[in-house]
């Protein structure tokens, strides 16, 4: 069932994103920013639960957020593809600001006195009890890795642009999405885990678990980005460049 939910959610977001960009150009950037913020916020919450990631021949532990966080890389790719690198950096900054607000809201509500009949106060505090170190580590990792993603994607798109004039060639799209996401998800794991857990948990196994799981999910969602690009490409002859688009 996990993979069914994963397929449904990714398919819905891909279709909705493409249709908004195609039909309501002026709202496309805002919609994609919203999806990026939702992915990032969900990852922050879901990261508190650790799961067994089973490959069939090998199992390891990883945060449940590994199923969602790679979607942030795809959302950045979607923005970068249509609006350019500078707008992708802006989207990352907006998403980061939403996470600061999320933490502020959680801390604000956490300090309120619970009602005497609320039976789940201990569980709630355990779930939303924020570690300053882990939160700071996730913020630093996101800013570094996501901005790297935007830069790598834009650089590959520019260098391989001449190949996209071939009607049969979609490999440049696969290439820029795959390699930018690998850079993003790998650097995120390499930065986050040592900052968050060095000295309190075995760092190497956690890094390996996140590297493998995030990059597997990130690779598996690449066909949806290619599909997104194909939907946009079908409409391209009838469209003018969007005023927000910038390199």
């Amino acid at each position: 069932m996990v993979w069914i939910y994963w397929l449904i959610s990714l398919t819905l977001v891909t279709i909705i994103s493409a249709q908004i960009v195609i039909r309501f150009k002026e709202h496309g950037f805002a919609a994609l920013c919203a999806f990026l913020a939702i992915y990032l916020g969900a990852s922050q919450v879901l990261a508190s639960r650790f799961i067994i990631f089973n490959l069939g021949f090998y199992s390891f532990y990883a945060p449940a957020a590994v199923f969602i966080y790679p979607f942030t890389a795809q959302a950045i790719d979607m923005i970068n593809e249509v609006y350019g690198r500078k707008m992708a950096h802006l989207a990352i900054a907006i998403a980061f600001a939403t996470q600061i607000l999320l933490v502020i809201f959680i801390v604000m509500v956490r300090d309120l006195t619970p009602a005497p009949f609320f039976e789940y106060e201990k569980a709630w505090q355990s779930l939303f009890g924020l570690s300053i170190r882990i939160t700071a580590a996730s913020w630093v990792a996101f800013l570094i890795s996501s901005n790297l993603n935007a830069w790598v994607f834009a650089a590959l798109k520019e260098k391989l642009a001449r190949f996209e004039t071939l009607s049969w060639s979609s490999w440049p799209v696969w290439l820029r999405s795959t390699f930018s996401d690998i850079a993003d998800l790998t650097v995120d794991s390499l930065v986050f885990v040592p900052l968050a857990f060095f000295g309190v948990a075995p760092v190497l196994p956690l890094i390996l678990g996140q590297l493998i799981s995030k990059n597997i999910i990130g690779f598996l969602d690449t066909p949806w980005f290619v599909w997104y690009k194909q939907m946009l490409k079908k409409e391209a002859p009838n469209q003018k460049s969007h005023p927000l688009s910038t390199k």
Side-chain angles (χ1 to χ4, degrees):
M1 288 299 293
V2 171
W3 291 108
I4 293 176
Y5 293 140
W6 186 86
L7 288 169
I8 291 173
S9 60
L10 187 55
T11 300
L12 283 175
V13 170
T14 302
I15 294 173
I16 293 170
S17 298
Q19 292 305 311
I20 291 176
V21 171
I22 291 168
R23 297 173 184 272
F24 309 100
K25 298 179 185 178
E26 67 276 15
H27 303 305
F29 177 74
L32 291 170
C33 282
F35 285 128
L36 175 58
I38 290 170
Y39 289 150
L40 191 58
S43 297
Q44 292 275 27
V45 175
L46 296 176
S48 61
R49 187 184 186 210
F50 281 81
I51 61 169
I52 299 175
F53 200 98
N54 191 348
L55 298 177
F57 59 91
Y58 181 72
S59 298
F60 51 86
Y61 301 113
V66 297
F67 279 92
I68 306 299
Y69 187 79
F71 291 178
T72 64
Q74 188 186 76
I76 293 168
D77 292 351
M78 288 179 168
I79 294 167
N80 209 338
E81 181 67 30
V82 178
Y83 300 103
R85 180 175 61 83
K86 290 183 179 179
M87 297 303 288
H89 289 309
L90 176 60
I92 292 165
I94 292 171
F96 178 66
T98 66
Q99 300 316 294
I100 295 176
L101 287 174
L102 175 63
V103 170
I104 291 173
F105 294 154
I106 290 174
V107 171
M108 176 182 71
V109 173
R110 188 185 63 183
D111 292 339
L112 296 175
T113 303
F117 56 82
F118 184 62
E119 301 176 1
Y120 308 105
E121 177 64 17
K122 186 176 181 180
W124 193 94
Q125 289 289 347
S126 176
L127 178 62
F128 291 103
L130 298 173
S131 164
I132 294 177
R133 178 178 176 180
I134 292 176
T135 300
S138 68
W139 286 355
V140 171
F142 171 74
L143 288 174
I144 293 174
S145 62
S146 296
N147 282 290
L148 175 64
N149 179 342
W151 184 86
V152 171
F153 184 98
L156 289 173
K157 184 177 181 180
E158 182 178 358
K159 289 185 179 297
L160 300 174
R162 64 183 183 276
F163 296 106
E164 288 194 57
T165 59
L166 303 174
S167 60
W168 51 266
S169 180
S170 64
W171 67 266
V173 181
W174 287 83
L175 197 66
R176 63 175 173 263
S177 180
T178 299
F179 279 91
S180 63
D181 290 0
I182 288 174
D184 181 338
L185 301 172
T186 299
V187 170
D188 180 80
S189 300
L190 292 175
V191 173
F192 170 71
V193 174
L195 288 178
F197 300 112
F198 182 78
V200 298
V203 170
L204 185 58
L206 289 175
I207 290 177
L208 290 176
Q210 291 215 31
L211 279 174
I212 295 171
S213 56
K214 284 181 179 178
N215 279 293
I216 287 175
I217 300 296
F219 180 76
L220 289 177
D221 70 25
T222 302
W224 277 264
F225 175 76
V226 177
W227 182 31
Y228 167 81
K229 172 62 176 178
Q230 290 173 343
M231 286 189 281
L232 297 182
K233 194 172 183 180
K234 288 180 181 178
E235 299 293 327
N238 301 321
Q239 293 184 351
K240 297 180 180 179
S241 61
H242 193 276
L244 288 178
S245 181
T246 179
K247 293 182 179 179

